Amino acid sequence: MMRPDLHLHTTASDGIYDARQLARLVQRANVTMFSVTDHDTLAALPEASDAAYDRGLAFLPGVEISTEGDDEIHILGYGVRPDDEVLLSCFRSAAEDRQRRIMGMADKLKDMGMSLPMKEIVSRAGAENSLGRPHLARAMMEQGYVDSVQQAFEQYLGKGRPAYLPRATMTASQAVSLLRERGAVPVLAHPGLIHWPLEKLLPMLKVWQEAGLKGIEVYHPANQGNYPYWERIARQRGLLVTGGSDFHDGTSSHGQIGETAGLWPHACDDAWALYRAVNKNQKP
Ligand SMILES: [Zn+2]
Ligand SMILES: [Zn+2]
C-alpha cells in the first residue's frame, strides 16, 4: 500500500531538517513515496534522491514556486531536474529580488524611526537572500517597536501598510508555463491557503489549466474540511489529485509528515497517476 507525502520542506528553504534527516523521518512515519518541494530552490534534490534510494523509498523531485506577491498562490512542480539551468537562473533572480525587497522595507522602517540591526538579522537568517518579512517582524519585537509579530504585520509590514513593498514574483500562469516548458508537472498548491475569494479563484483555475496546470493539491492540511469539495473540482476538470503535509518543522503551523496520507482515500492511485504524468512529461 502506497502512503505518499508529496509536499515536504528541508533546510534548503525554510524547513529545519536536511534531506537525509527528512528521509529518515519519512520512513519512520511509514510514508513510502515522498517529494521534496522547497520554496524556489532545487538544492536539496540530489541528496534527497540518494537518501530515498538508500532507504528503498519512492521519490519525486519537486519544487514550490511562490507567485503573485503575497497571496499564497504557490505552484508545485513535480519531476524537475536539479541541474536545470533555466529554473536555477529564475530562482537566483527571485532570491535577489527577495533580498532587495527586505532591505528596502528595512530602509522604510528606518525612515519611520525604527532602526534594525540588519547585519545581525542577516547572519541569523543564514544569508541575505533567505530573509523574509518574519525576520523583520521578530527584530522589531526584540527592539521593542511592537509587541508582537502580528502587530508588526498589521501596522507596518502587511500589504498596503507603510513599510510594505511588493514582490516582483512571476504570475501563477508564468510559473505553470515555465514548469511545463522544463518538462515538469505543475500542480496548484493548497487552495485552502489562497487569499482570493472563490469567485476569483475558480475562473483563474481555468486560465491556469489552459497554461498547462495538471493538478490540485487537494490533501493539504489547509484544505481540511473541504477535501470532497476540492477533489470534486479537480476530478470534474480532469486534473490530478495530489496531497502532502507541507511539513517544515513539526510545529502546529504546518502538517506532520504523512498526516494527509491517511485522509486521502485514493492516495495510491492518485500518486501513481502523478508518477506516470511525470515520466510522460520528462524531456529526453
Ligand atoms: Zn505553499
Ligand atoms: Zn510548502
Side-chain angles (χ1 to χ4, degrees), residues 99-109 136 163 165:
Q99 170 183 342
R100 260 196 308 275
R101 177 212 196 189
I102 293 301
M103 292 303 176
M105 288 179 71
D107 286 344
K108 286 186 149 214
L109 290 168
L136 292 181
L165 284 175

Side-chain angles (χ1 to χ4, degrees), residues 7 9 37 39 64 190 246 248:
H7 189 154
H9 293 272
T37 54
H39 299 286
E64 181 172 24
H190 47 60
D246 209 353
H248 284 70

